[in-house]
């Protein structure tokens, strides 16, 4: 199992996807703690999710940890799983309302970052951390 989690290709450009996904999730996770009324528990309460105080801290912690691991390229595949789930939930809970109330194009405009993060996370799950990752260095020693 550890071999699968560390396995990656030798692509030197995967770091671009890691930088994009990792930096966005790290930043968003930090903001959930800095601005809880807008980005964390307050946002979760506004969209009707249960126990928003817990969820704000829980999701923020996962975003920070996953973002850091993705940036480092350490357990990249595993770290990208929570980010994928977070994006699926974000699209389902927030963008479905926009789709119903304002239509397809407004939903697509408002969800462009969500789709980028979802597809970037999926890419990292499939490909791993790439050439410039700790995963590659660890898997080479095994």
């Amino acid at each position: 199992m550890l071999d699968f989690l560390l396995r990656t290709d030798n692509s030197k450009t995967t770091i671009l996807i890691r930088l994009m996904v990792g930096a966005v999730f790290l930043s968003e996770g930090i903001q959930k703690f800095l601005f809880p009324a807008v980005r964390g528990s307050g946002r979760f309460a506004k969209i009707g999710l249960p126990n928003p105080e817990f969820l704000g801290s829980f999701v923020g912690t996962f975003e920070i940890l996953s973002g850091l691991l993705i940036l480092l390229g350490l357990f990249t595949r595993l770290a990208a799983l929570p980010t994928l789930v977070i994006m699926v939930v974000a699209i389902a809970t927030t963008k479905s309302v926009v789709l119903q109330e304002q239509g397809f194009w407004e939903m697509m405009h408002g969800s462009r970052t969500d789709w980028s993060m979802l597809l970037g996370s999926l890419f990292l799950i499939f490909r791993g951390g790439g050439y410039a990752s700790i995963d590659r260095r660890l898997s080479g020693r095994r």
Side-chain angles (χ1 to χ4, degrees):
M1 183 64 160
L2 184 59
D3 286 335
F4 172 75
L5 290 176
L6 294 175
R7 189 178 323 134
T8 186
D9 61 16
N10 285 322
S11 174
K12 293 181 180 174
T13 57
T14 300
I15 193 167
L16 298 174
I17 303 295
R18 282 191 13 239
L19 289 172
M20 176 187 70
V21 173
V24 167
F25 276 100
L26 176 60
S27 170
E28 288 297 317
I30 291 170
Q31 289 179 66
K32 281 183 177 54
F33 291 99
L34 293 176
F35 313 108
V38 180
R39 302 276 184 255
S41 58
R43 179 159 175 79
F44 291 135
K46 181 180 175 185
I47 61 175
L49 292 177
N51 202 352
E53 292 80 19
F54 170 76
L55 276 179
S57 297
F58 183 77
V59 172
T61 299
F62 264 96
E63 288 178 340
I64 291 168
L65 292 175
S66 294
L68 283 172
L69 289 171
I70 289 169
L71 285 170
L72 294 170
L74 178 60
F75 299 115
T76 307
R77 292 174 191 264
L78 183 62
L81 285 172
T83 64
L84 181 73
V85 171
I86 289 166
M87 295 321 305
V88 168
V89 171
I91 291 169
T93 58
T94 63
K95 302 313 184 250
S96 60
V97 174
V98 175
L99 177 63
Q100 290 174 334
E101 294 177 0
Q102 299 175 17
F104 177 78
W105 292 113
E106 191 62 34
M107 183 272 300
M108 288 304 292
H109 174 73
S111 64
R112 62 194 182 279
T113 304
D114 297 345
W115 288 108
S116 296
M117 292 300 102
L118 185 140
L119 294 173
S121 297
L122 197 57
F123 176 89
L124 294 172
I125 291 167
F126 287 136
R127 299 292 296 265
Y131 180 82
S133 67
I134 295 174
D135 290 344
R136 182 174 169 274
R137 288 166 190 21
L138 291 175
S139 67
R141 294 185 184 143
R142 295 182 61 74

